[in-house]
PDB file of all heavy atoms in Angstrom:
ATOM      1  N   LEU A   1     120.960 124.892 177.295  1.00  0.00           N
ATOM      2  CA  LEU A   1     120.597 125.890 176.241  1.00  0.00           C
ATOM      3  C   LEU A   1     119.270 125.476 175.579  1.00  0.00           C
ATOM      4  O   LEU A   1     118.331 126.353 175.493  1.00  0.00           O
ATOM      5  CB  LEU A   1     121.678 125.965 175.138  1.00  0.00           C
ATOM      6  CG  LEU A   1     121.298 126.849 173.997  1.00  0.00           C
ATOM      7  CD1 LEU A   1     121.408 128.312 174.412  1.00  0.00           C
ATOM      8  CD2 LEU A   1     122.331 126.577 172.861  1.00  0.00           C
ATOM      9  N   LEU A   2     119.099 124.235 175.288  1.00  0.00           N
ATOM     10  CA  LEU A   2     117.884 123.776 174.655  1.00  0.00           C
ATOM     11  C   LEU A   2     116.720 123.842 175.588  1.00  0.00           C
ATOM     12  O   LEU A   2     115.605 124.348 175.183  1.00  0.00           O
ATOM     13  CB  LEU A   2     118.053 122.325 174.125  1.00  0.00           C
ATOM     14  CG  LEU A   2     117.053 121.806 173.097  1.00  0.00           C
ATOM     15  CD1 LEU A   2     117.007 122.692 171.859  1.00  0.00           C
ATOM     16  CD2 LEU A   2     117.330 120.351 172.828  1.00  0.00           C
ATOM     17  N   ALA A   3     116.920 123.519 176.859  1.00  0.00           N
ATOM     18  CA  ALA A   3     115.798 123.553 177.823  1.00  0.00           C
ATOM     19  C   ALA A   3     115.489 124.953 178.215  1.00  0.00           C
ATOM     20  O   ALA A   3     114.345 125.221 178.600  1.00  0.00           O
ATOM     21  CB  ALA A   3     116.220 122.769 179.073  1.00  0.00           C
ATOM     22  N   TRP A   4     116.448 125.824 178.117  1.00  0.00           N
ATOM     23  CA  TRP A   4     116.179 127.232 178.463  1.00  0.00           C
ATOM     24  C   TRP A   4     115.491 127.969 177.270  1.00  0.00           C
ATOM     25  O   TRP A   4     114.515 128.691 177.503  1.00  0.00           O
ATOM     26  CB  TRP A   4     117.553 127.922 178.709  1.00  0.00           C
ATOM     27  CG  TRP A   4     117.503 129.398 178.874  1.00  0.00           C
ATOM     28  CD1 TRP A   4     116.523 130.171 179.490  1.00  0.00           C
ATOM     29  CD2 TRP A   4     118.458 130.310 178.337  1.00  0.00           C
ATOM     30  NE1 TRP A   4     116.876 131.577 179.393  1.00  0.00           N
ATOM     31  CE2 TRP A   4     118.005 131.603 178.642  1.00  0.00           C
ATOM     32  CE3 TRP A   4     119.694 130.191 177.579  1.00  0.00           C
ATOM     33  CZ2 TRP A   4     118.765 132.770 178.334  1.00  0.00           C
ATOM     34  CZ3 TRP A   4     120.348 131.325 177.259  1.00  0.00           C
ATOM     35  CH2 TRP A   4     119.888 132.603 177.554  1.00  0.00           C
ATOM     36  N   LEU A   5     115.896 127.779 176.035  1.00  0.00           N
ATOM     37  CA  LEU A   5     115.376 128.493 174.894  1.00  0.00           C
ATOM     38  C   LEU A   5     114.101 127.889 174.272  1.00  0.00           C
ATOM     39  O   LEU A   5     113.262 128.619 173.860  1.00  0.00           O
ATOM     40  CB  LEU A   5     116.410 128.657 173.840  1.00  0.00           C
ATOM     41  CG  LEU A   5     117.591 129.572 174.081  1.00  0.00           C
ATOM     42  CD1 LEU A   5     118.550 129.534 172.886  1.00  0.00           C
ATOM     43  CD2 LEU A   5     117.103 130.943 174.378  1.00  0.00           C
ATOM     44  N   LEU A   6     114.009 126.566 174.284  1.00  0.00           N
ATOM     45  CA  LEU A   6     112.936 125.909 173.420  1.00  0.00           C
ATOM     46  C   LEU A   6     111.600 126.235 174.005  1.00  0.00           C
ATOM     47  O   LEU A   6     110.625 126.503 173.180  1.00  0.00           O
ATOM     48  CB  LEU A   6     113.171 124.413 173.432  1.00  0.00           C
ATOM     49  CG  LEU A   6     112.296 123.637 172.370  1.00  0.00           C
ATOM     50  CD1 LEU A   6     112.435 124.180 171.001  1.00  0.00           C
ATOM     51  CD2 LEU A   6     112.639 122.223 172.387  1.00  0.00           C
ATOM     52  N   PRO A   7     111.283 126.227 175.271  1.00  0.00           N
ATOM     53  CA  PRO A   7     109.907 126.463 175.781  1.00  0.00           C
ATOM     54  C   PRO A   7     109.290 127.790 175.193  1.00  0.00           C
ATOM     55  O   PRO A   7     108.170 127.836 174.777  1.00  0.00           O
ATOM     56  CB  PRO A   7     110.000 126.466 177.262  1.00  0.00           C
ATOM     57  CG  PRO A   7     111.165 125.596 177.542  1.00  0.00           C
ATOM     58  CD  PRO A   7     112.142 125.866 176.438  1.00  0.00           C
ATOM     59  N   HIS A   8     110.039 128.894 175.271  1.00  0.00           N
ATOM     60  CA  HIS A   8     109.514 130.130 174.791  1.00  0.00           C
ATOM     61  C   HIS A   8     109.947 130.444 173.379  1.00  0.00           C
ATOM     62  O   HIS A   8     109.233 131.059 172.578  1.00  0.00           O
ATOM     63  CB  HIS A   8     109.937 131.290 175.700  1.00  0.00           C
ATOM     64  CG  HIS A   8     111.433 131.531 175.757  1.00  0.00           C
ATOM     65  ND1 HIS A   8     112.254 130.883 176.657  1.00  0.00           N
ATOM     66  CD2 HIS A   8     112.244 132.442 175.062  1.00  0.00           C
ATOM     67  CE1 HIS A   8     113.452 131.271 176.427  1.00  0.00           C
ATOM     68  NE2 HIS A   8     113.498 132.216 175.548  1.00  0.00           N
ATOM     69  N   GLY A   9     111.159 129.912 173.029  1.00  0.00           N
ATOM     70  CA  GLY A   9     111.677 130.193 171.645  1.00  0.00           C
ATOM     71  C   GLY A   9     110.883 129.491 170.586  1.00  0.00           C
ATOM     72  O   GLY A   9     110.851 129.953 169.407  1.00  0.00           O
ATOM     73  N   ALA A  10     110.100 128.402 170.922  1.00  0.00           N
ATOM     74  CA  ALA A  10     109.338 127.685 169.923  1.00  0.00           C
ATOM     75  C   ALA A  10     108.227 128.547 169.354  1.00  0.00           C
ATOM     76  O   ALA A  10     107.765 128.322 168.202  1.00  0.00           O
ATOM     77  CB  ALA A  10     108.741 126.412 170.528  1.00  0.00           C
ATOM     78  N   THR A  11     107.786 129.574 170.059  1.00  0.00           N
ATOM     79  CA  THR A  11     106.801 130.538 169.559  1.00  0.00           C
ATOM     80  C   THR A  11     107.418 131.900 169.341  1.00  0.00           C
ATOM     81  O   THR A  11     106.991 132.672 168.479  1.00  0.00           O
ATOM     82  CB  THR A  11     105.624 130.678 170.464  1.00  0.00           C
ATOM     83  OG1 THR A  11     105.996 130.877 171.786  1.00  0.00           O
ATOM     84  CG2 THR A  11     104.756 129.408 170.501  1.00  0.00           C
ATOM     85  N   GLU A  12     108.425 132.280 170.203  1.00  0.00           N
ATOM     86  CA  GLU A  12     108.996 133.663 170.080  1.00  0.00           C
ATOM     87  C   GLU A  12     109.746 133.880 168.770  1.00  0.00           C
ATOM     88  O   GLU A  12     109.577 134.838 168.076  1.00  0.00           O
ATOM     89  CB  GLU A  12     109.963 133.841 171.252  1.00  0.00           C
ATOM     90  CG  GLU A  12     110.617 135.227 171.269  1.00  0.00           C
ATOM     91  CD  GLU A  12     111.577 135.368 172.407  1.00  0.00           C
ATOM     92  OE1 GLU A  12     111.151 135.555 173.562  1.00  0.00           O
ATOM     93  OE2 GLU A  12     112.793 135.161 172.182  1.00  0.00           O
ATOM     94  N   ILE A  13     110.555 132.910 168.430  1.00  0.00           N
ATOM     95  CA  ILE A  13     111.309 133.073 167.188  1.00  0.00           C
ATOM     96  C   ILE A  13     110.495 133.073 165.936  1.00  0.00           C
ATOM     97  O   ILE A  13     110.634 133.910 165.055  1.00  0.00           O
ATOM     98  CB  ILE A  13     112.481 131.950 167.141  1.00  0.00           C
ATOM     99  CG1 ILE A  13     113.483 132.232 168.254  1.00  0.00           C
ATOM    100  CG2 ILE A  13     113.154 132.066 165.734  1.00  0.00           C
ATOM    101  CD1 ILE A  13     114.548 131.068 168.354  1.00  0.00           C
ATOM    102  N   PRO A  14     109.505 132.087 165.798  1.00  0.00           N
ATOM    103  CA  PRO A  14     108.570 132.155 164.674  1.00  0.00           C
ATOM    104  C   PRO A  14     107.785 133.465 164.619  1.00  0.00           C
ATOM    105  O   PRO A  14     107.520 134.014 163.543  1.00  0.00           O
ATOM    106  CB  PRO A  14     107.664 130.971 164.840  1.00  0.00           C
ATOM    107  CG  PRO A  14     108.537 129.963 165.627  1.00  0.00           C
ATOM    108  CD  PRO A  14     109.350 130.821 166.553  1.00  0.00           C
ATOM    109  N   ALA A  15     107.448 134.011 165.794  1.00  0.00           N
ATOM    110  CA  ALA A  15     106.730 135.230 165.827  1.00  0.00           C
ATOM    111  C   ALA A  15     107.496 136.407 165.269  1.00  0.00           C
ATOM    112  O   ALA A  15     106.993 137.213 164.492  1.00  0.00           O
ATOM    113  CB  ALA A  15     106.215 135.578 167.228  1.00  0.00           C
ATOM    114  N   ILE A  16     108.816 136.469 165.608  1.00  0.00           N
ATOM    115  CA  ILE A  16     109.645 137.538 165.064  1.00  0.00           C
ATOM    116  C   ILE A  16     109.773 137.323 163.571  1.00  0.00           C
ATOM    117  O   ILE A  16     109.873 138.316 162.794  1.00  0.00           O
ATOM    118  CB  ILE A  16     111.004 137.500 165.820  1.00  0.00           C
ATOM    119  CG1 ILE A  16     110.779 137.991 167.246  1.00  0.00           C
ATOM    120  CG2 ILE A  16     112.019 138.416 165.122  1.00  0.00           C
ATOM    121  CD1 ILE A  16     112.034 137.869 168.180  1.00  0.00           C
ATOM    122  N   LEU A  17     109.891 136.081 163.150  1.00  0.00           N
ATOM    123  CA  LEU A  17     110.030 135.769 161.704  1.00  0.00           C
ATOM    124  C   LEU A  17     108.776 136.225 160.949  1.00  0.00           C
ATOM    125  O   LEU A  17     108.847 136.696 159.836  1.00  0.00           O
ATOM    126  CB  LEU A  17     110.296 134.284 161.503  1.00  0.00           C
ATOM    127  CG  LEU A  17     111.638 133.816 161.881  1.00  0.00           C
ATOM    128  CD1 LEU A  17     111.720 132.300 161.832  1.00  0.00           C
ATOM    129  CD2 LEU A  17     112.740 134.446 160.994  1.00  0.00           C
ATOM    130  N   ILE A  18     107.662 136.031 161.584  1.00  0.00           N
ATOM    131  CA  ILE A  18     106.345 136.432 160.973  1.00  0.00           C
ATOM    132  C   ILE A  18     106.273 137.963 160.875  1.00  0.00           C
ATOM    133  O   ILE A  18     105.750 138.503 159.976  1.00  0.00           O
ATOM    134  CB  ILE A  18     105.183 135.838 161.736  1.00  0.00           C
ATOM    135  CG1 ILE A  18     105.155 134.329 161.592  1.00  0.00           C
ATOM    136  CG2 ILE A  18     103.857 136.398 161.313  1.00  0.00           C
ATOM    137  CD1 ILE A  18     104.064 133.641 162.424  1.00  0.00           C
ATOM    138  N   GLY A  19     106.862 138.627 161.882  1.00  0.00           N
ATOM    139  CA  GLY A  19     106.989 140.060 161.800  1.00  0.00           C
ATOM    140  C   GLY A  19     107.840 140.450 160.595  1.00  0.00           C
ATOM    141  O   GLY A  19     107.473 141.412 159.890  1.00  0.00           O
ATOM    142  N   GLY A  20     108.923 139.760 160.388  1.00  0.00           N
ATOM    143  CA  GLY A  20     109.721 140.035 159.187  1.00  0.00           C
ATOM    144  C   GLY A  20     109.010 139.644 157.902  1.00  0.00           C
ATOM    145  O   GLY A  20     109.147 140.379 156.901  1.00  0.00           O
ATOM    146  N   GLN A  21     108.206 138.619 157.914  1.00  0.00           N
ATOM    147  CA  GLN A  21     107.424 138.179 156.790  1.00  0.00           C
ATOM    148  C   GLN A  21     106.373 139.349 156.405  1.00  0.00           C
ATOM    149  O   GLN A  21     106.289 139.705 155.226  1.00  0.00           O
ATOM    150  CB  GLN A  21     106.663 136.926 157.143  1.00  0.00           C
ATOM    151  CG  GLN A  21     105.657 136.478 156.073  1.00  0.00           C
ATOM    152  CD  GLN A  21     104.792 135.335 156.607  1.00  0.00           C
ATOM    153  OE1 GLN A  21     104.545 135.246 157.791  1.00  0.00           O
ATOM    154  NE2 GLN A  21     104.319 134.507 155.652  1.00  0.00           N
ATOM    155  N   ALA A  22     105.813 139.870 157.416  1.00  0.00           N
ATOM    156  CA  ALA A  22     104.872 141.016 157.175  1.00  0.00           C
ATOM    157  C   ALA A  22     105.613 142.231 156.621  1.00  0.00           C
ATOM    158  O   ALA A  22     105.134 142.936 155.701  1.00  0.00           O
ATOM    159  CB  ALA A  22     104.158 141.368 158.479  1.00  0.00           C
ATOM    160  N   GLY A  23     106.838 142.443 157.117  1.00  0.00           N
ATOM    161  CA  GLY A  23     107.643 143.537 156.582  1.00  0.00           C
ATOM    162  C   GLY A  23     108.036 143.351 155.167  1.00  0.00           C
ATOM    163  O   GLY A  23     107.945 144.287 154.332  1.00  0.00           O
ATOM    164  N   PHE A  24     108.332 142.075 154.749  1.00  0.00           N
ATOM    165  CA  PHE A  24     108.616 141.879 153.270  1.00  0.00           C
ATOM    166  C   PHE A  24     107.382 141.984 152.402  1.00  0.00           C
ATOM    167  O   PHE A  24     107.451 142.345 151.232  1.00  0.00           O
ATOM    168  CB  PHE A  24     109.265 140.477 153.170  1.00  0.00           C
ATOM    169  CG  PHE A  24     110.652 140.450 153.667  1.00  0.00           C
ATOM    170  CD1 PHE A  24     111.097 139.467 154.523  1.00  0.00           C
ATOM    171  CD2 PHE A  24     111.596 141.490 153.396  1.00  0.00           C
ATOM    172  CE1 PHE A  24     112.448 139.426 154.984  1.00  0.00           C
ATOM    173  CE2 PHE A  24     112.905 141.489 153.872  1.00  0.00           C
ATOM    174  CZ  PHE A  24     113.306 140.426 154.709  1.00  0.00           C
ATOM    175  N   VAL A  25     106.189 141.549 152.963  1.00  0.00           N
ATOM    176  CA  VAL A  25     104.977 141.759 152.175  1.00  0.00           C
ATOM    177  C   VAL A  25     104.745 143.285 151.988  1.00  0.00           C
ATOM    178  O   VAL A  25     104.396 143.656 150.838  1.00  0.00           O
ATOM    179  CB  VAL A  25     103.741 141.187 152.998  1.00  0.00           C
ATOM    180  CG1 VAL A  25     102.380 141.565 152.343  1.00  0.00           C
ATOM    181  CG2 VAL A  25     103.906 139.688 153.107  1.00  0.00           C
ATOM    182  N   LEU A  26     104.942 144.062 152.991  1.00  0.00           N
ATOM    183  CA  LEU A  26     104.876 145.491 152.896  1.00  0.00           C
ATOM    184  C   LEU A  26     105.892 146.030 151.946  1.00  0.00           C
ATOM    185  O   LEU A  26     105.528 146.953 151.095  1.00  0.00           O
ATOM    186  CB  LEU A  26     105.022 146.147 154.236  1.00  0.00           C
ATOM    187  CG  LEU A  26     104.823 147.643 154.355  1.00  0.00           C
ATOM    188  CD1 LEU A  26     103.424 148.027 153.860  1.00  0.00           C
ATOM    189  CD2 LEU A  26     105.036 148.103 155.841  1.00  0.00           C
ATOM    190  N   ALA A  27     107.106 145.538 151.970  1.00  0.00           N
ATOM    191  CA  ALA A  27     108.173 145.997 151.056  1.00  0.00           C
ATOM    192  C   ALA A  27     107.819 145.711 149.595  1.00  0.00           C
ATOM    193  O   ALA A  27     108.119 146.572 148.752  1.00  0.00           O
ATOM    194  CB  ALA A  27     109.499 145.299 151.478  1.00  0.00           C
ATOM    195  N   ARG A  28     107.304 144.540 149.329  1.00  0.00           N
ATOM    196  CA  ARG A  28     106.918 144.258 147.935  1.00  0.00           C
ATOM    197  C   ARG A  28     105.846 145.167 147.428  1.00  0.00           C
ATOM    198  O   ARG A  28     105.902 145.626 146.263  1.00  0.00           O
ATOM    199  CB  ARG A  28     106.434 142.801 147.901  1.00  0.00           C
ATOM    200  CG  ARG A  28     106.050 142.361 146.492  1.00  0.00           C
ATOM    201  CD  ARG A  28     105.632 140.861 146.435  1.00  0.00           C
ATOM    202  NE  ARG A  28     105.388 140.442 145.073  1.00  0.00           N
ATOM    203  CZ  ARG A  28     104.991 139.221 144.754  1.00  0.00           C
ATOM    204  NH1 ARG A  28     104.853 138.343 145.706  1.00  0.00           N
ATOM    205  NH2 ARG A  28     104.765 138.892 143.538  1.00  0.00           N
ATOM    206  N   ALA A  29     104.938 145.592 148.315  1.00  0.00           N
ATOM    207  CA  ALA A  29     103.951 146.513 147.867  1.00  0.00           C
ATOM    208  C   ALA A  29     104.566 147.901 147.661  1.00  0.00           C
ATOM    209  O   ALA A  29     104.173 148.614 146.686  1.00  0.00           O
ATOM    210  CB  ALA A  29     102.833 146.628 148.893  1.00  0.00           C
ATOM    211  N   MET A  30     105.562 148.269 148.429  1.00  0.00           N
ATOM    212  CA  MET A  30     106.237 149.508 148.297  1.00  0.00           C
ATOM    213  C   MET A  30     107.006 149.624 146.971  1.00  0.00           C
ATOM    214  O   MET A  30     106.968 150.573 146.216  1.00  0.00           O
ATOM    215  CB  MET A  30     107.193 149.740 149.444  1.00  0.00           C
ATOM    216  CG  MET A  30     106.570 149.986 150.791  1.00  0.00           C
ATOM    217  SD  MET A  30     105.804 151.630 150.900  1.00  0.00           S
ATOM    218  CE  MET A  30     107.188 152.721 150.720  1.00  0.00           C
ATOM    219  N   ILE A  31     107.662 148.480 146.682  1.00  0.00           N
ATOM    220  CA  ILE A  31     108.449 148.431 145.407  1.00  0.00           C
ATOM    221  C   ILE A  31     107.550 148.359 144.211  1.00  0.00           C
ATOM    222  O   ILE A  31     107.776 149.051 143.188  1.00  0.00           O
ATOM    223  CB  ILE A  31     109.457 147.232 145.468  1.00  0.00           C
ATOM    224  CG1 ILE A  31     110.418 147.427 146.629  1.00  0.00           C
ATOM    225  CG2 ILE A  31     110.107 147.063 144.109  1.00  0.00           C
ATOM    226  CD1 ILE A  31     111.300 146.198 146.915  1.00  0.00           C
ATOM    227  N   GLY A  32     106.545 147.513 144.269  1.00  0.00           N
ATOM    228  CA  GLY A  32     105.550 147.423 143.189  1.00  0.00           C
ATOM    229  C   GLY A  32     106.105 146.894 141.853  1.00  0.00           C
ATOM    230  O   GLY A  32     105.618 147.227 140.805  1.00  0.00           O
ATOM    231  N   ARG A  33     107.112 146.044 141.894  1.00  0.00           N
ATOM    232  CA  ARG A  33     107.641 145.533 140.707  1.00  0.00           C
ATOM    233  C   ARG A  33     106.731 144.735 139.924  1.00  0.00           C
ATOM    234  O   ARG A  33     106.119 143.741 140.473  1.00  0.00           O
ATOM    235  CB  ARG A  33     108.963 144.765 141.037  1.00  0.00           C
ATOM    236  CG  ARG A  33     109.656 144.141 139.719  1.00  0.00           C
ATOM    237  CD  ARG A  33     110.943 143.473 140.150  1.00  0.00           C
ATOM    238  NE  ARG A  33     111.640 142.987 138.936  1.00  0.00           N
ATOM    239  CZ  ARG A  33     112.764 142.258 139.063  1.00  0.00           C
ATOM    240  NH1 ARG A  33     113.330 141.940 140.231  1.00  0.00           N
ATOM    241  NH2 ARG A  33     113.391 141.834 137.957  1.00  0.00           N
ATOM    242  N   GLY A  34     106.440 145.038 138.675  1.00  0.00           N
ATOM    243  CA  GLY A  34     105.491 144.271 137.851  1.00  0.00           C
ATOM    244  C   GLY A  34     104.065 144.565 138.130  1.00  0.00           C
ATOM    245  O   GLY A  34     103.106 143.953 137.604  1.00  0.00           O
ATOM    246  N   ASP A  35     103.813 145.549 139.047  1.00  0.00           N
ATOM    247  CA  ASP A  35     102.444 145.966 139.351  1.00  0.00           C
ATOM    248  C   ASP A  35     102.263 147.460 139.018  1.00  0.00           C
ATOM    249  O   ASP A  35     102.869 148.277 139.605  1.00  0.00           O
ATOM    250  CB  ASP A  35     102.161 145.712 140.845  1.00  0.00           C
ATOM    251  CG  ASP A  35     100.709 145.854 141.202  1.00  0.00           C
ATOM    252  OD1 ASP A  35      99.950 146.486 140.492  1.00  0.00           O
ATOM    253  OD2 ASP A  35     100.308 145.345 142.310  1.00  0.00           O
ATOM    254  N   ARG A  36     101.397 147.757 138.114  1.00  0.00           N
ATOM    255  CA  ARG A  36     101.239 149.105 137.638  1.00  0.00           C
ATOM    256  C   ARG A  36     100.246 149.908 138.477  1.00  0.00           C
ATOM    257  O   ARG A  36      99.936 151.087 138.195  1.00  0.00           O
ATOM    258  CB  ARG A  36     100.803 149.116 136.178  1.00  0.00           C
ATOM    259  CG  ARG A  36     101.875 148.506 135.197  1.00  0.00           C
ATOM    260  CD  ARG A  36     101.376 148.628 133.775  1.00  0.00           C
ATOM    261  NE  ARG A  36     102.393 148.108 132.917  1.00  0.00           N
ATOM    262  CZ  ARG A  36     102.268 148.135 131.560  1.00  0.00           C
ATOM    263  NH1 ARG A  36     101.172 148.579 130.961  1.00  0.00           N
ATOM    264  NH2 ARG A  36     103.267 147.601 130.781  1.00  0.00           N
ATOM    265  N   GLN A  37      99.696 149.332 139.468  1.00  0.00           N
ATOM    266  CA  GLN A  37      98.690 150.000 140.379  1.00  0.00           C
ATOM    267  C   GLN A  37      99.457 151.144 141.085  1.00  0.00           C
ATOM    268  O   GLN A  37     100.655 151.024 141.390  1.00  0.00           O
ATOM    269  CB  GLN A  37      98.109 149.114 141.414  1.00  0.00           C
ATOM    270  CG  GLN A  37      97.209 148.045 140.749  1.00  0.00           C
ATOM    271  CD  GLN A  37      96.477 147.250 141.847  1.00  0.00           C
ATOM    272  OE1 GLN A  37      95.423 147.632 142.356  1.00  0.00           O
ATOM    273  NE2 GLN A  37      97.129 146.140 142.335  1.00  0.00           N
ATOM    274  N   PRO A  38      98.753 152.148 141.503  1.00  0.00           N
ATOM    275  CA  PRO A  38      99.329 153.244 142.327  1.00  0.00           C
ATOM    276  C   PRO A  38      99.783 152.663 143.682  1.00  0.00           C
ATOM    277  O   PRO A  38      99.229 151.631 144.144  1.00  0.00           O
ATOM    278  CB  PRO A  38      98.199 154.260 142.515  1.00  0.00           C
ATOM    279  CG  PRO A  38      97.247 153.993 141.364  1.00  0.00           C
ATOM    280  CD  PRO A  38      97.351 152.510 141.050  1.00  0.00           C
ATOM    281  N   LEU A  39     100.699 153.314 144.335  1.00  0.00           N
ATOM    282  CA  LEU A  39     101.198 152.815 145.661  1.00  0.00           C
ATOM    283  C   LEU A  39     100.080 152.655 146.639  1.00  0.00           C
ATOM    284  O   LEU A  39     100.026 151.586 147.333  1.00  0.00           O
ATOM    285  CB  LEU A  39     102.259 153.829 146.216  1.00  0.00           C
ATOM    286  CG  LEU A  39     102.789 153.505 147.614  1.00  0.00           C
ATOM    287  CD1 LEU A  39     103.446 152.154 147.651  1.00  0.00           C
ATOM    288  CD2 LEU A  39     103.715 154.622 147.990  1.00  0.00           C
ATOM    289  N   ALA A  40      99.146 153.593 146.704  1.00  0.00           N
ATOM    290  CA  ALA A  40      98.068 153.507 147.679  1.00  0.00           C
ATOM    291  C   ALA A  40      97.250 152.253 147.430  1.00  0.00           C
ATOM    292  O   ALA A  40      96.864 151.556 148.363  1.00  0.00           O
ATOM    293  CB  ALA A  40      97.166 154.711 147.602  1.00  0.00           C
ATOM    294  N   ALA A  41      97.045 151.895 146.237  1.00  0.00           N
ATOM    295  CA  ALA A  41      96.191 150.740 145.870  1.00  0.00           C
ATOM    296  C   ALA A  41      96.961 149.474 146.264  1.00  0.00           C
ATOM    297  O   ALA A  41      96.418 148.473 146.763  1.00  0.00           O
ATOM    298  CB  ALA A  41      95.895 150.705 144.375  1.00  0.00           C
ATOM    299  N   ARG A  42      98.286 149.455 145.989  1.00  0.00           N
ATOM    300  CA  ARG A  42      99.056 148.290 146.399  1.00  0.00           C
ATOM    301  C   ARG A  42      99.109 148.068 147.911  1.00  0.00           C
ATOM    302  O   ARG A  42      99.028 146.975 148.363  1.00  0.00           O
ATOM    303  CB  ARG A  42     100.523 148.421 145.829  1.00  0.00           C
ATOM    304  CG  ARG A  42     100.653 148.519 144.357  1.00  0.00           C
ATOM    305  CD  ARG A  42     102.058 148.237 143.854  1.00  0.00           C
ATOM    306  NE  ARG A  42     103.010 149.143 144.436  1.00  0.00           N
ATOM    307  CZ  ARG A  42     103.460 150.225 143.881  1.00  0.00           C
ATOM    308  NH1 ARG A  42     102.888 150.643 142.711  1.00  0.00           N
ATOM    309  NH2 ARG A  42     104.381 151.033 144.415  1.00  0.00           N
ATOM    310  N   LEU A  43      99.176 149.137 148.628  1.00  0.00           N
ATOM    311  CA  LEU A  43      99.141 149.019 150.115  1.00  0.00           C
ATOM    312  C   LEU A  43      97.833 148.578 150.607  1.00  0.00           C
ATOM    313  O   LEU A  43      97.740 147.771 151.546  1.00  0.00           O
ATOM    314  CB  LEU A  43      99.522 150.368 150.703  1.00  0.00           C
ATOM    315  CG  LEU A  43     100.993 150.828 150.484  1.00  0.00           C
ATOM    316  CD1 LEU A  43     101.160 152.215 151.062  1.00  0.00           C
ATOM    317  CD2 LEU A  43     101.996 149.887 151.185  1.00  0.00           C
ATOM    318  N   ARG A  44      96.761 149.052 150.017  1.00  0.00           N
ATOM    319  CA  ARG A  44      95.419 148.589 150.419  1.00  0.00           C
ATOM    320  C   ARG A  44      95.283 147.103 150.083  1.00  0.00           C
ATOM    321  O   ARG A  44      94.668 146.347 150.873  1.00  0.00           O
ATOM    322  CB  ARG A  44      94.367 149.365 149.664  1.00  0.00           C
ATOM    323  CG  ARG A  44      94.080 150.724 150.237  1.00  0.00           C
ATOM    324  CD  ARG A  44      92.745 151.309 149.725  1.00  0.00           C
ATOM    325  NE  ARG A  44      92.720 151.455 148.279  1.00  0.00           N
ATOM    326  CZ  ARG A  44      93.088 152.527 147.615  1.00  0.00           C
ATOM    327  NH1 ARG A  44      93.613 153.536 148.282  1.00  0.00           N
ATOM    328  NH2 ARG A  44      93.110 152.538 146.245  1.00  0.00           N
ATOM    329  N   ALA A  45      95.830 146.639 149.022  1.00  0.00           N
ATOM    330  CA  ALA A  45      95.725 145.217 148.640  1.00  0.00           C
ATOM    331  C   ALA A  45      96.346 144.335 149.663  1.00  0.00           C
ATOM    332  O   ALA A  45      95.845 143.151 149.842  1.00  0.00           O
ATOM    333  CB  ALA A  45      96.334 145.014 147.256  1.00  0.00           C
TER     334      ALA A  45
END
């Protein structure tokens, strides 16, 4: 299992996590909690 998954999983799994990270950055801008800027401005930021 380790020899099968580790060679590609060492970059594949972090990459998918970074995709999720970007999604949460976008989600925070969508929610805008504590930020009074308009949605468009938050998304540009």
